Amino acid sequence: MAIRTPEGSVIIPPGGLQPAPPVPQPNIYPMEWRVETEELAELYERSKRQIYNPSDFPWDELRPEDFTPEQRIGIMYWYAVLANFDGSGPAVFAKATIHAFEMHTEDPIRKCFFSITRDEMNHEECCQRVIQKLVPGGPLDFSPKTDLERAAVNNIEWLYHNGGRYWKGYGESLHKYPLSVLFTSFMMGEVASSTLFFGMSKKARHPVFREIFKKVGQDEARHLAICLKILEKDWPGLTDEHKTLITKQLRAGFVFLSMILWEPPNQFWEIPEYFLANHRVLVQHARDGGLGVLTYDEQAENWRVALARVRAMVEAWGIEFPAIPELDLDGVDVGDIGPEDIIPVF
Ligand SMILES: [Fe+2]
Ligand SMILES: [Fe+2]
């Protein structure tokens, strides 16, 4: 029987309103915009103000004929190596964004993750555009004619194979690890990328590359600030078990990210024996083409300084740093690193 009320007034039945059933948790789409960390809300605002369009870079100034065929392949190769990292960015952070929604984190965390997803799509687009401009169809869908081209394609295929090894583990890690462990890996990735692009923006000779590295580097520095803010919130109150996990994650980050920042250590990477020798030749051509790739020693020094900074930070929270003998950094031995340990972020 319909309840009648005077026109314009709401219905409150005699027995009161019926409470809606509780929404099962975890669940997506929190119906609130809780702010606990004002700085994160500000970082999200900054991300909106600093947005740019990769289509607007002066691509006409990147003329294939200004480079030797070897330099074109070298630069394409370096960007393909980068794409092996940046290409995972949008999907990694899209998953993390969904996870943050499901976990009903405070609103600025959800929004910051969304902004990183957006930025990573731009970074990925930069890889795409440089590669398409210099080697149409690259990195994998063109017909290599020289030994150098064949070596480049083969190396890229091996990297792609390795990239494909951690994806399943990453998906599972979202539910396996607490956010503080995930954020530590994100932080390592952002330390690596901001270090890389800052160094290259100073060294690149070509104006288009300088412009790209400057803009991308600015994004990465903001991503790092976001991760550090979140960690500052999450690190106090860590259990010893989680601290041990974080120490291992730091080593996993080093193993994974060295591929683009320096050279891969002898762990995790499944690559043929000739990979590194060919990699060095290809990267040297990129260097000669004015891309701004640092020398082996400069890369090592840059990476070492960045990791020493991470060490100081984590030790302040009572988290041990892993041994990185490759860069003369001592610390704890964390044993084997497998695909399930890699949380890919850049
Ligand atoms: Fe990125
Ligand atoms: Fe990033």
Side-chain angles (χ1 to χ4, degrees):
M1 190 185 73
I3 303 172
R4 281 172 190 281
T5 57
E7 195 142 336
S9 59
V10 296
I11 298 166
I12 307 290
L17 297 167
Q18 293 174 32
V23 174
Q25 297 299 327
N27 206 311
I28 200 143
Y29 113 60
M31 287 289 281
E32 40 77 10
W33 295 269
R34 195 173 82 254
V35 178
E36 290 161 10
T37 318
E38 198 53 57
E39 293 96 323
L40 286 173
E42 278 162 27
L43 283 163
Y44 179 61
E45 287 305 310
R46 199 192 297 172
S47 80
K48 288 187 287 182
R49 280 194 301 270
Q50 291 180 338
I51 199 89
Y52 57 90
N53 181 355
S55 319
D56 293 340
F57 287 148
W59 295 108
D60 288 348
E61 291 171 29
L62 190 65
R63 287 175 295 267
E65 60 274 21
D66 289 348
F67 302 92
T68 67
E70 291 77 16
Q71 290 169 351
R72 284 202 288 272
I73 291 297
I75 295 170
M76 179 282 285
Y77 173 77
W78 188 86
Y79 261 101
V81 177
L82 179 65
N84 215 56
F85 292 82
D86 263 339
S88 72
V92 162
F93 276 99
K95 252 186 200 285
T97 304
I98 293 172
H99 185 65
F101 271 74
E102 287 178 338
M103 301 307 286
H104 294 201
T105 65
E106 60 168 313
D107 181 58
I109 292 186
R110 296 165 353 217
K111 286 193 162 60
C112 280
F113 274 19
F114 165 74
S115 77
I116 299 178
T117 310
R118 164 77 267 173
D119 294 337
E120 292 305 331
M121 196 64 102
N122 281 345
H123 303 174
E124 204 247 358
E125 184 180 334
C126 292
C127 299
Q128 171 192 11
R129 285 178 180 274
V130 172
I131 290 173
Q132 293 307 307
K133 194 85 204 237
L134 296 184
V135 182
L140 294 175
D141 201 15
F142 73 105
S143 316
K145 291 189 182 66
T146 63
D147 281 351
L148 187 73
E149 291 175 353
R150 273 185 282 274
V153 170
N154 184 256
N155 265 22
I156 294 162
E157 284 169 342
W158 274 101
L159 283 177
Y160 195 39
H161 154 70
N162 281 280
R165 289 169 59 213
Y166 60 67
W167 184 246
K168 201 163 153 265
Y170 170 64
E172 288 162 4
S173 74
L174 284 173
H175 299 282
K176 212 164 64 187
Y177 298 135
L179 286 176
S180 50
V181 175
L182 287 175
F183 291 142
T184 303
S185 303
F186 292 173
M187 179 269 287
M188 272 290 275
E190 307 302 359
V191 165
S193 51
S194 49
T195 304
L196 177 75
F197 295 123
F198 180 67
M200 291 184 75
S201 71
K202 286 194 302 188
K203 236 193 148 180
R205 293 198 308 274
H206 196 288
V208 173
F209 296 137
R210 266 210 305 269
E211 174 82 3
I212 298 175
F213 292 140
K214 226 177 68 203
K215 283 282 199 285
V216 173
Q218 186 180 56
D219 289 345
E220 302 299 2
R222 196 173 54 251
H223 300 175
L224 177 59
I226 291 170
C227 286
L228 290 178
K229 239 319 129 211
I230 294 174
L231 285 172
E232 222 175 81
K233 229 173 90 98
D234 270 26
W235 270 347
L238 276 179
T239 64
D240 283 349
E241 188 202 346
H242 290 158
K243 285 182 183 173
T244 309
L245 263 176
I246 288 178
T247 303
K248 185 157 191 180
Q249 275 307 311
L250 292 169
R251 171 79 200 168
F254 165 75
V255 169
F256 182 61
L257 296 162
S258 286
M259 183 71 238
I260 181 74
L261 258 89
W262 185 37
E263 283 188 357
N266 211 353
Q267 202 176 8
F268 170 74
W269 292 98
E270 290 175 357
I271 42 179
E273 243 172 90
Y274 55 78
F275 179 96
L276 214 47
N278 290 350
H279 176 83
R280 286 178 185 154
V281 172
L282 285 155
V283 169
Q284 188 53 47
H285 286 305
R287 222 173 254 131
D288 295 342
L291 182 59
V293 186
L294 272 52
T295 65
Y296 178 88
D297 290 332
E298 287 169 338
Q299 284 177 330
E301 184 52 19
N302 233 9
W303 202 193
R304 204 184 59 75
V305 170
L307 289 171
R309 231 178 279 142
V310 173
R311 171 155 78 178
M313 227 153 47
V314 301
E315 283 180 349
W317 291 104
I319 299 162
E320 288 186 299
F321 197 74
I324 302 188
E326 295 88 342
L327 289 172
D328 293 326
L329 293 165
D330 45 49
V332 185
D333 181 4
V334 294
D336 270 353
I337 301 287
E340 69 286 354
D341 297 313
I342 303 284
I343 297 179
V345 192
F346 206 53

